[in-house]
Amino acid sequence: YKYHKKIRIYASPEELFNYPLMLRIDKKDLASAAEKDYRDVRFVSADGATELDYYYEGKIEPSPLFFWVKVPQIPKDEALTLYLYYCNQEQGLSPQGTVPGSDGNKVFAFFDDFSGPSFNEEKWQKNLGLKNECRLKDGYLELRDATILSRNYKMKEGVLEFKARAEANAAIQGIIQQANEIASPPQILAGRKDVKLPFKEVFYSSAYPGAEHTIAINDVAKLNIGKPIQAGVDYIYKVSVNASGVVFERYSPDYEKQVQLKFLDAGLTNAGFIGLKADASFLGDGLVYFDWVRARPYVEIEPKVEVRNE
């Protein structure tokens, strides 16, 4: 490798294990690596030899660049050093001679970037509405009047994040609920006593008045901020859940915070399945395009990090 940088992780207030650490790096600092689409970027532990799993975020190159590195251990009250290597002269080979690369499945507790040839039925199950649209196209998940819920993964305390954009007359939703089955309307209307609706937290984002940025419990809106989204614009959503409640945030693709809602006393008593949903208008138009979704551990104070030139 022709170049390397030092990554300094400052003292963390709590000890963390297998933690996905976000690194914000200016694009010009990795100009030579850009020639290989950042395939020759590698992250190495303090010993200078142990390669770490990482994920490069973005199908369309953002500025700055965002990398997530899975750090095996971040000690409490102690600083830690990692290394970033780049500009490999031999086709992007790693120091060990292998050719690993960006892989969100190795970094996050749950991950899908919808880049496969078909919808992953092992990760997700579908619940389709009347409009009935759920498909993969050009690296995106397209939903219209449809919900997907994780088949096996559940989260009690953690961070759910996803990137999405909506057409006009569509609402973007993230979901955490304590069952991955949804009672059908005939069962509900019949008043069957054996049908129990799961406790569900829903996080709306739309241009609809009264549902611009909303936290809802069991489909009843609890809080809303009147800051609507724009059709065709990408947003990153972050849902942080702990015993105290939930925080729902919206960011630009460069992680500039736009809006935040806090709802206390809404924590999950049991772990919940995660999901994504697209609400279409009664006219039937309004697709939502999901770029990626991931889940990671919750920490009250995330570690501070600095990338230094050497």
Side-chain angles (χ1 to χ4, degrees), residues 245-264:
V246 295
V247 179
F248 179 35
E249 299 166 298
R250 187 171 78 215
Y251 293 81
S252 72
D254 286 348
Y255 287 94
E256 296 298 324
K257 186 185 295 186
Q258 299 178 343
V259 61
Q260 179 188 78
L261 265 182
K262 294 183 179 181
F263 187 53
L264 303 181

Side-chain angles (χ1 to χ4, degrees), residues 163-234:
K163 183 178 180 181
R165 70 174 185 270
E167 292 182 350
N169 302 314
I172 301 168
Q173 293 187 22
I175 299 171
I176 303 176
Q177 70 176 36
Q178 292 179 344
N180 60 358
E181 296 179 358
I182 300 176
S184 64
Q187 290 175 311
I188 298 171
L189 292 174
R192 282 179 49 184
K193 294 182 179 180
D194 60 326
V195 175
K196 294 182 179 179
L197 295 178
F199 178 81
K200 180 170 65 174
E201 297 178 331
V202 181
F203 310 93
Y204 291 85
S205 187
S206 74
Y208 301 154
E212 296 92 342
H213 191 81
T214 304
I215 295 176
I217 305 297
N218 292 334
D219 294 324
V220 177
K222 298 297 183 180
L223 291 174
N224 180 69
I225 294 180
K227 294 186 178 181
I229 60 173
Q230 297 181 29
V233 175
D234 285 316

Side-chain angles (χ1 to χ4, degrees), residues 30-229:
L30 294 182
S32 56
E35 298 176 3
K36 297 174 184 279
D37 298 325
Y38 308 104
R39 288 172 296 167
D40 63 345
V41 169
R42 297 294 179 264
F43 296 92
V44 177
S45 66
D47 61 13
T50 304
E51 196 166 315
L52 303 176
D53 292 324
Y54 77 95
Y55 167 64
Y56 167 56
E57 183 177 313
K59 296 182 177 70
I60 300 175
E61 179 182 308
S63 179
L65 307 172
F66 295 97
F67 292 89
W68 294 81
V69 182
K70 188 174 184 178
V71 184
Q73 182 179 9
I74 300 177
K76 179 181 179 180
D77 299 329
E78 291 183 28
L80 181 68
T81 298
L82 307 177
Y83 295 96
L84 161 62
Y85 288 88
Y86 63 105
C87 194
N88 191 303
Q89 301 302 304
E90 298 182 2
Q91 303 298 320
L93 294 177
S94 73
Q96 287 78 17
T98 59
V99 193
S102 168
D103 189 345
N105 289 293
K106 294 181 178 179
V107 175
F108 302 104
F110 183 93
F111 177 82
D112 199 345
D113 63 358
F114 309 111
S115 60
S118 59
F119 183 78
N120 193 329
E121 300 280 356
E122 294 183 358
K123 285 186 176 181
W124 302 102
Q125 61 178 347
K126 294 181 281 189
N127 184 65
L128 303 177
L130 296 175
K131 313 301 186 301
N132 192 8
E133 191 158 350
C134 175
R135 63 175 181 170
L136 299 188
K137 185 178 179 181
D138 300 328
Y140 288 86
L141 171 68
E142 296 184 0
L143 292 182
R144 188 201 310 267
D145 191 22
T147 305
I148 63 171
L149 287 170
S150 55
R151 189 172 292 276
N152 298 306
Y153 177 77
K154 293 192 289 185
M155 181 176 73
K156 185 175 181 180
E157 289 195 350
V159 177
L160 169 64
E161 293 171 307
F162 51 96
K163 183 178 180 181
R165 70 174 185 270
E167 292 182 350
N169 302 314
I172 301 168
Q173 293 187 22
I175 299 171
I176 303 176
Q177 70 176 36
Q178 292 179 344
N180 60 358
E181 296 179 358
I182 300 176
S184 64
Q187 290 175 311
I188 298 171
L189 292 174
R192 282 179 49 184
K193 294 182 179 180
D194 60 326
V195 175
K196 294 182 179 179
L197 295 178
F199 178 81
K200 180 170 65 174
E201 297 178 331
V202 181
F203 310 93
Y204 291 85
S205 187
S206 74
Y208 301 154
E212 296 92 342
H213 191 81
T214 304
I215 295 176
I217 305 297
N218 292 334
D219 294 324
V220 177
K222 298 297 183 180
L223 291 174
N224 180 69
I225 294 180
K227 294 186 178 181
I229 60 173

